[in-house]
Amino acid sequence: MNSEKILVVDDEVEIGEIIKDFLEIEGYEVLLAFDGEEAINIFEKHQPQLVILDLMLPKIDGMEVCRTIRAKSIVPIIMLSAKGANTDKILGLGFGADDYMTKPFDSGELVARVKSHLRRYTKFSTPAPDKNQDIYSFDHIEICFKSHSVLVNGENIPFAAKEFQLLKYLILNENRVLTKEQIFNHVWGYNDYGDINTVTVHIRKIREKIEKDPAHPQYIKTIWRVGYKFSRSSL
């Protein structure tokens, strides 16, 4: 029996109920919201471990709900939309979503993604086994693996779960060139459903948060036609 709470937000009541039924079969506790305002209120009251969020919502749209939740929490957010445009996908991830599915979707695939995100969220929320690696500091940045926090010039910067996982993976492989495929497989963990371009979107968001000049990054270097490499400015 799972103990995780999942918030499902969709203005189509029937879809919300179907998702709820499938997740409850797997043992999850499911909370339902049918508009953006209700979603934010339920999230703040119940603090779920994962959010499934429709893009088009009354009162407050899904993008704004995503941004509001992300400013307060690192829980995984899976966006749903009837729109299939790539621009919507990039925009959704850019606002802090961890994943994206286009309606209509297979319920089994959704459940598989939920399980994958919860496993990784739990794993990366667990204190690092090596206490010597718990705090990683360089220049004006301090990263705490244990508390899942990033300080830039002393200010706590909100990171989406996947953004933090990706940054941690780069840091633990400092000065090593990692391909997009390696990063995607480590952070997302499934090949069949995901889009590898997600890596590029998340790298851009991380740079915007830690780099003095994201257009000319000091720390996260692009290795042309290969992938990315993390190194401190002193190296």
Side-chain angles (χ1 to χ4, degrees):
M1 193 76 175
N2 297 300
S3 59
E4 291 95 343
K5 286 184 288 188
I6 297 173
L7 172 59
V8 177
V9 189
D10 200 309
D11 62 330
E12 297 184 65
V13 176
E14 185 178 356
I15 291 179
E17 293 287 354
I18 289 172
I19 295 173
K20 181 176 184 287
D21 289 344
F22 272 93
L23 292 174
E24 285 183 340
I25 289 173
E26 298 295 327
Y28 297 108
E29 179 182 347
V30 181
L31 309 166
L32 284 177
F34 303 106
D35 64 62
E37 187 177 292
E38 184 182 22
I40 292 172
N41 291 335
I42 291 176
F43 182 87
E44 291 177 346
K45 181 178 180 180
H46 296 280
Q47 297 296 304
Q49 282 73 54
L50 184 141
V51 179
I52 298 172
L53 178 63
D54 189 36
L55 180 65
M56 304 299 292
L57 294 171
K59 296 187 179 180
I60 303 175
D61 68 34
M63 290 298 180
E64 188 60 33
V65 173
C66 181
R67 184 162 55 183
T68 300
I69 291 174
R70 185 54 71 228
K72 303 174 181 180
S73 173
I74 60 169
V75 299
I77 299 174
I78 301 175
M79 298 289 293
L80 302 178
S81 176
K83 297 182 178 180
N86 194 48
T87 52
D88 279 334
K89 179 170 186 177
I90 293 173
L91 184 59
L93 294 171
F95 270 84
D98 297 284
D99 205 349
Y100 188 101
M101 293 185 70
T102 302
K103 296 178 180 177
F105 54 83
D106 179 76
S107 298
E109 178 185 336
L110 177 61
V111 171
R113 292 199 191 193
V114 165
K115 290 181 178 180
S116 176
H117 283 292
L118 284 173
R119 279 196 305 269
R120 290 175 181 279
Y121 173 65
T122 302
K123 175 182 176 182
F124 282 91
S125 297
T126 303
D130 183 355
K131 292 183 179 180
N132 294 326
Q133 289 187 327
D134 196 34
I135 303 291
Y136 189 94
S137 300
F138 56 100
D139 295 345
H140 58 297
I141 299 168
E142 181 178 291
I143 299 164
C144 181
F145 295 151
K146 182 176 181 180
S147 65
H148 215 125
S149 62
V150 179
L151 299 178
V152 179
N153 292 319
E155 179 185 356
N156 187 40
I157 305 299
F159 264 64
K162 286 291 183 288
E163 291 170 2
F164 189 88
Q165 292 166 23
L166 199 164
L167 178 60
K168 180 177 179 180
Y169 184 51
L170 290 172
I171 287 172
L172 295 181
N173 289 277
E174 186 173 358
N175 296 317
R176 177 186 171 195
V177 177
L178 299 171
T179 67
K180 286 185 180 181
E181 289 79 9
Q182 286 175 307
I183 294 170
F184 184 84
N185 290 338
H186 180 86
V187 177
W188 279 264
Y190 46 81
N191 292 307
D192 295 335
Y193 305 136
D195 183 347
I196 201 166
N197 291 324
T198 296
V199 174
T200 303
V201 175
H202 281 66
I203 290 288
R204 175 177 58 81
K205 296 300 295 182
I206 293 170
R207 283 172 170 165
E208 290 173 354
K209 294 178 179 183
I210 70 170
E211 299 279 3
K212 294 177 181 177
D213 182 1
H216 301 90
Q218 263 185 298
Y219 310 116
I220 301 177
K221 310 284 189 181
T222 298
I223 309 302
W224 182 244
R225 293 188 176 179
V226 180
Y228 301 97
K229 179 180 74 171
F230 173 85
S231 64
R232 289 166 288 184
S233 59
S234 59
L235 297 177

